[in-house]
């Protein structure tokens, strides 16, 4: 009965607010009853919803009444408006389930949005100036600014690629692809927990993380994803990245002043952001130390990040979460802008910031000491989602094990000019057998001593340390041969390991079978390209713009014999010869195909052969 009476009083208050006239004889203010000793979650939710609706009614009544009447008029439910907990905190609770709210709840949200707007902070002019120079430099072109100010973070409307973020502008692909990688983490491996704002907290997943096959593995059907599920996965991804940038302690969310729900298009219609002065005028920030508060606020304001400024706002949020001084300290050359000229691409520093929380410029593990107190900064620790690049297959860099072997089977893939995403539905693709683990350990120890910038050679002193770290016991004559030249090259070291029995720390396996693998992997390119919609032969097709998703079958043959390995080393400079030698290792009946993406995959799984149906997977 109590709930029913309160609901009737609430409806009366709402009717009065619409009429705009106070009661002739205001009822004296009643004292607030003592709170119950224990309140069920359902009762608490109803109470908070009533408080929000009453706040909306009070707002509308004040707007309709004259100033004089407002000063003396009182609603019978005024104690409900005055006494409850602070409105912003209440709304963050209620925003999680907006479908339970009617029109009155929307009015209540408007009340809270206004109060949250008042709590947002303006960006100081000097901070805006430093931020602008850091991101775009001093002479950024209008074309680059147009790319970054016209790219929202939005899901594809195409059923086949509905799990992917669609890209229309060329520059922000580094931001979109990295966010996409985290979104896939939640869609594929945390699908049962998306309603929990705390699942991005490492303390929540510690001890609970378990590798299991995705619910999509059986049918590969991404079209069944609901909008709510995708939105929550996106918000979880954003929260995780921002707190990662804030060392787990804080997240800064950048927004546009007065760009509330339903008003975003009007607010951005004539908005131009072409200088630090423009940025300072329109930008406001909110700082969160609670993941739950950050999640609820981002969920309530996701429309802003779906708008044309979404990619730029999220990048700014990540930079401010890290702190501008720390960003500059992370970099090897802080004089260069993070958005590279002349095409406006996201730099590797931006991608690394979103992957590991630090804007380091390199992709190897840890730091590389150059002597004289100088060093180059790489990835500091393990990451949730990883990174592969075509540049490694061209011997232009060396990706470390942190990025190659992330916690989840998801990788951002870099080419010379674009970023895409590679992912598997089953984490087992990353499992290693005994000898693979042994190889990984030896390679990590070797790379830790490599001061050549990924050139693949180390000093004799470094080599001795590798042998100690990995318990390798070469015969004295073989050890002398390896050290004669004064440097040890990885390919020569590996050849010697193939001949050294595993009992002495080598890789020689009497069985000759070292773990053949077969698995399926997906590649997603979010940039919208024209594809034919319909049957081209019937003449009824029309081009549509949509991202591309490719399913690849991957086979990793058993490890080569010594002769096969030596043949590959000799022919490494001739790609056609290398491909021919690999094709001979393919399983019977599999048609193997080649594309630049395959070269990227081979940096993670050497000797892998791939096949697919349909268009060639594109990394540009």
């Amino acid at each position: 009965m109590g709930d029913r009476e309160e609901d009737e009083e609430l409806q009366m208050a709402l009717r009065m607010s619409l009429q705009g006239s106070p009661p002739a004889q205001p009822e004296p203010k009643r004292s607030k009853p003592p709170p119950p000793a224990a309140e069920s979650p359902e009762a608490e939710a109803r109470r908070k919803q009533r408080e929000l609706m009453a706040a909306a009614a009070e707002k509308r009544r004040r707007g309709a009444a004259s100033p004089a009447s407002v000063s003396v008029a009182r609603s019978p439910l005024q104690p409900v408006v005055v006494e409850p907990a602070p409105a912003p905190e209440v709304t963050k609770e209620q925003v999680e389930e907006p479908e339970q709210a009617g029109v009155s709840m929307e009015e209540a949200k408007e009340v809270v949005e206004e109060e949250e707007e008042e709590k947002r902070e303006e960006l100081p002019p000097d901070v805006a100036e430093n931020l602008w120079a850091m991101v775009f430099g001093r002479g950024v072109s209008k074309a680059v600014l147009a790319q970054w100010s016209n790219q929202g973070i939005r899901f594809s409307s195409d059923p086949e690629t509905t799990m992917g973020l669609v890209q229309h502008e060329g520059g922000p692909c580094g931001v979109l692809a990295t966010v996409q990688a985290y979104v896939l983490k939640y869609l594929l491996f945390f699908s049962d927990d998306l309603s929990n704002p705390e699942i991005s907290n490492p303390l929540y997943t510690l001890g609970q993380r378990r590798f299991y096959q995705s619910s999509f593995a059986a049918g590969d059907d991404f079209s069944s994803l609901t909008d709510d599920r995708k939105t929550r996965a996106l918000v979880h991804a954003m929260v995780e990245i921002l707190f990662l940038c804030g060392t787990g302690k804080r997240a800064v969310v950048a927004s546009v002043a007065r760009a509330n729900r339903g008003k975003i298009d009007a607010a951005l219609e004539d908005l131009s952001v072409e200088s630090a002065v423009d940025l300072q005028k329109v930008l406001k920030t909110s700082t969160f130390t609670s993941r739950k508060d950050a999640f609820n606020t981002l969920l309530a304001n996701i429309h802003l990040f779906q708008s044309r400024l979404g990619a730029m706002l999220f990048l700014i949020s990540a930079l401010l979460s890290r702190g501008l001084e720390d960003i500059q300290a992370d970099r090897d050359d802080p004089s260069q802008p993070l958005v590279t000229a002349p095409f406006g691409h996201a730099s590797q520093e931006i991608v690394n910031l979103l992957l590991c929380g630090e804007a380091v410029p390199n992709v190897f593990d840890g730091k590389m000491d150059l002597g004289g107190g100088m060093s180059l900064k790489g990835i500091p620790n393990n990451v949730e989602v990883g990174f592969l690049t075509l540049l490694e297959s061209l011997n232009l860099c060396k990706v470390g094990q942190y990025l190659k072997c992330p916690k989840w089977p998801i990788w951002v893939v870099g080419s010379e000019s674009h970023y895409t995403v590679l992912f598997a539905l089953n984490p087992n693709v990353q499992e290693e057998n005994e000898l693979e683990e042994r190889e990984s350990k030896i390679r990590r120890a070797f790379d830790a001593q490599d001061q050549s910038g990924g050139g693949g050679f180390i000093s004799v002193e470094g080599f001795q340390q590798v042998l100690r770290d990995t318990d390798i016991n070469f015969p004295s004559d073989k050890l002398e041969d390896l050290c004669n030249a004064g440097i040890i090259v990885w390919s020569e070291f590996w050849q010697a390991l193939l001949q050294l029995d595993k009992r002495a720390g080598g890789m020689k396996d009497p069985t000759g079978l070292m773990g053949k693998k077969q698995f399926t992997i997906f590649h997603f390119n979010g940039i919208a390209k024209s594809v034919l919609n319909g049957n081209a032969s019937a003449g009824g097709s029309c081009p549509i713009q949509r991202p591309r998703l490719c399913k690849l079958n991957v086979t990793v043959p058993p490890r080569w014999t010594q002769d096969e390995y030596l043949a590959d080393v000799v022919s490494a400079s001739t790609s056609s010869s290398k491909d021919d030698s690999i094709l001979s290792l393919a399983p019977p009946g599999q048609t193997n195909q080649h594309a630049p993406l395959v070269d990227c995959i081979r940096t993670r799984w050497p000797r892998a052969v791939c096949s697919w149906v349909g268009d060639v997977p594109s990394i540009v």
Side-chain angles (χ1 to χ4, degrees):
M1 282 297 290
D3 287 344
R4 182 173 164 184
E5 292 175 358
E6 291 178 3
D7 289 341
E8 291 176 354
E9 290 182 347
L10 180 58
Q11 295 301 324
M12 181 183 299
L14 290 174
R15 287 195 298 271
M16 289 162 46
S17 70
L18 294 174
Q19 295 171 357
S21 57
Q25 299 295 330
E27 182 179 333
K29 180 177 178 180
R30 295 173 290 186
S31 61
K32 180 182 177 182
E39 188 175 28
S40 68
E42 295 79 5
E44 182 182 7
R46 289 196 300 270
R47 176 178 58 79
K48 289 180 177 179
Q49 184 169 355
R50 288 193 296 270
E51 291 169 354
L52 285 168
M53 295 172 68
E58 178 69 9
K59 174 178 176 292
R60 295 183 62 172
R61 186 187 64 78
R62 288 177 178 174
S66 64
S69 62
V70 168
S71 62
V72 297
R74 300 280 180 174
S75 166
L77 296 181
Q78 186 174 358
V80 179
V81 179
V82 175
E83 301 289 352
E89 182 175 343
V90 171
T91 299
K92 289 171 186 173
E93 299 279 349
Q94 295 296 324
V95 156
E96 295 183 25
E97 303 295 339
E99 67 274 8
Q100 295 181 1
V103 175
S104 298
M105 181 63 76
E106 290 300 320
E107 293 174 346
K109 288 180 181 178
E110 290 182 9
V111 174
V112 173
E113 283 179 343
E114 292 182 1
E115 294 179 355
E116 289 186 345
E117 176 69 25
E118 295 175 358
K119 295 173 66 174
R120 296 185 181 116
E121 298 180 357
E122 293 184 355
L123 204 63
D126 59 328
V127 175
E129 184 70 32
N130 291 336
L131 177 62
W132 186 267
M134 180 186 299
V135 176
F136 295 112
R138 302 294 178 182
V140 60
S141 67
K142 289 189 176 182
V144 169
L145 289 177
Q147 289 178 336
W148 282 87
S149 58
N150 288 287
Q151 179 61 66
I153 305 177
R154 297 185 296 271
F155 284 98
S156 168
S157 59
D158 172 56
E160 294 182 9
T161 57
T162 185
M163 30 55 68
L165 302 175
V166 63
Q167 178 187 349
H168 297 289
E169 301 293 337
C173 58
V175 172
L176 291 180
T178 311
V179 173
Q180 174 73 72
Y182 282 92
V183 168
L184 287 168
K185 166 190 166 181
Y186 287 101
L187 286 177
L188 299 179
F189 304 114
F190 289 84
S191 57
D192 297 332
D193 300 324
L194 292 179
S195 61
N196 186 343
E198 297 289 345
I199 63 173
S200 67
N201 191 332
L203 296 178
Y204 174 82
T205 57
L206 185 63
Q208 300 183 27
R209 187 190 307 277
R210 55 189 177 92
F211 286 164
Y212 59 93
Q213 193 161 344
S214 164
S215 59
F216 299 111
D220 304 337
D221 181 16
F222 297 102
S223 63
S224 62
L225 291 169
T226 64
D227 289 341
D228 178 72
R229 189 176 185 183
K230 292 186 296 183
T231 299
R232 288 178 180 273
L234 173 59
V235 173
H236 280 300
M238 296 169 70
V239 170
E240 178 172 4
I241 293 172
L242 294 182
F243 271 94
L244 179 65
C245 296
T247 65
K249 299 177 181 177
R250 69 166 188 169
V252 178
V253 177
S255 60
V256 176
R258 307 303 301 176
N260 292 335
R261 185 185 302 272
K263 305 174 185 177
I264 183 66
D265 292 335
L268 300 183
E269 183 176 358
D270 299 319
L271 185 63
S272 175
V273 182
E274 298 184 352
S275 67
V277 175
D278 294 339
L279 191 69
Q280 195 275 330
K281 288 180 180 178
V282 303
L283 202 66
K284 284 198 171 185
T285 63
S286 303
T287 302
F288 300 92
T289 57
S290 162
R291 290 176 187 261
K292 183 177 180 180
D293 290 347
F295 177 87
N296 290 332
T297 297
L298 281 169
L299 186 62
N301 294 279
I302 195 63
H303 58 284
L304 181 58
F305 291 91
Q306 294 169 337
S307 75
R308 66 178 180 88
L309 289 181
M312 180 190 290
L313 287 174
F314 187 71
L315 173 59
I316 290 173
S317 299
L319 295 172
L320 294 176
S321 295
R322 175 66 175 156
L324 301 190
E325 291 185 2
D326 288 335
I327 292 288
Q328 295 296 67
D330 291 338
R331 308 173 67 195
D332 287 342
D333 184 3
S335 65
Q336 297 299 314
L338 292 169
V339 171
T340 61
F343 302 111
H345 297 138
S347 65
Q348 188 66 48
E349 293 157 311
I350 289 177
V351 174
N352 286 351
L353 172 67
L354 305 184
L355 288 175
C356 74
E358 297 183 15
V360 294
N362 303 298
V363 291
F364 51 73
D365 292 344
K367 290 184 179 181
M368 183 178 296
D369 188 4
L370 302 179
M374 299 181 63
S375 63
L376 298 176
K377 306 179 188 72
I379 305 301
N381 44 41
N382 292 316
V383 295
E384 294 287 312
V385 297
F387 179 78
L388 304 174
T389 175
L390 183 65
L391 301 182
E392 182 175 12
S393 70
L394 301 174
N395 294 319
L396 296 178
C397 70
K398 174 64 180 175
V399 179
Q401 293 299 305
Y402 288 151
L403 291 177
K404 278 188 180 175
C405 303
K407 294 180 181 177
W408 303 100
I410 306 168
W411 296 265
V412 176
V413 177
S415 68
E416 300 96 328
S417 60
H418 188 47
Y419 294 98
T420 55
V421 181
L422 188 73
F423 63 98
L425 305 182
N426 193 332
N428 291 338
V429 302
Q430 296 223 92
E431 290 185 356
E432 294 183 325
N433 59 37
E434 178 186 356
L435 290 178
E436 286 176 320
E437 292 176 355
R438 177 69 177 158
E439 179 187 357
S440 297
K441 179 180 179 181
I442 295 172
R443 186 69 206 227
R444 283 195 297 268
F446 188 94
D447 289 344
Q449 302 298 324
D450 187 351
Q451 304 299 315
S452 65
F457 58 87
I458 61 178
S459 66
V460 173
E461 293 78 9
F463 182 54
Q464 295 290 347
Q465 185 62 46
V466 171
L467 299 182
R468 288 191 294 269
D469 291 343
T470 56
D471 297 322
I472 296 174
N473 299 304
F474 279 114
S476 57
D477 57 336
K478 188 60 180 179
L479 186 61
E480 185 177 348
D481 290 343
L482 287 170
C483 297
N484 269 342
I487 61 171
I488 289 81
V489 180
W490 168 257
S491 59
E492 296 176 356
F493 177 36
W494 180 248
Q495 293 169 36
L497 286 172
L498 290 173
Q499 302 174 56
L500 183 65
D501 192 275
K502 60 185 293 188
R503 290 171 295 183
M507 303 296 292
K508 187 176 182 180
D509 179 17
T511 68
L513 300 175
M514 298 189 181
K516 174 181 175 180
K517 289 185 175 181
Q518 287 183 300
F519 55 87
T520 299
I521 202 163
F522 292 82
H523 178 254
F524 176 76
N525 188 339
I527 194 164
K529 292 289 185 70
S530 292
V531 296
L532 290 179
N533 182 26
N535 189 342
S537 61
S541 320
C542 60
I544 61 172
Q545 293 282 323
R546 70 177 187 185
R548 288 153 291 167
L549 180 67
C550 181
K551 178 180 178 181
L552 298 94
N553 297 312
V554 181
T555 300
V556 183
R559 295 186 184 279
W560 292 329
T561 65
Q562 181 185 354
D563 291 340
E564 288 171 329
Y565 186 88
L566 290 174
D568 181 69
V569 171
V570 171
S571 62
S573 59
T574 308
S575 60
S576 59
S577 299
K578 185 175 182 179
D579 291 336
D580 291 341
S581 65
I582 290 176
L583 290 179
S584 66
L585 301 171
Q590 178 172 320
T591 302
N592 298 289
Q593 298 154 288
H594 184 264
L597 176 63
V598 177
D599 292 329
C600 296
I601 291 174
R602 287 176 187 161
T603 65
R604 173 61 181 85
W605 294 279
R607 306 172 308 283
V609 290
C610 304
S611 65
W612 56 85
V613 177
D615 295 336
V616 175
S618 172
I619 58 175
V620 296

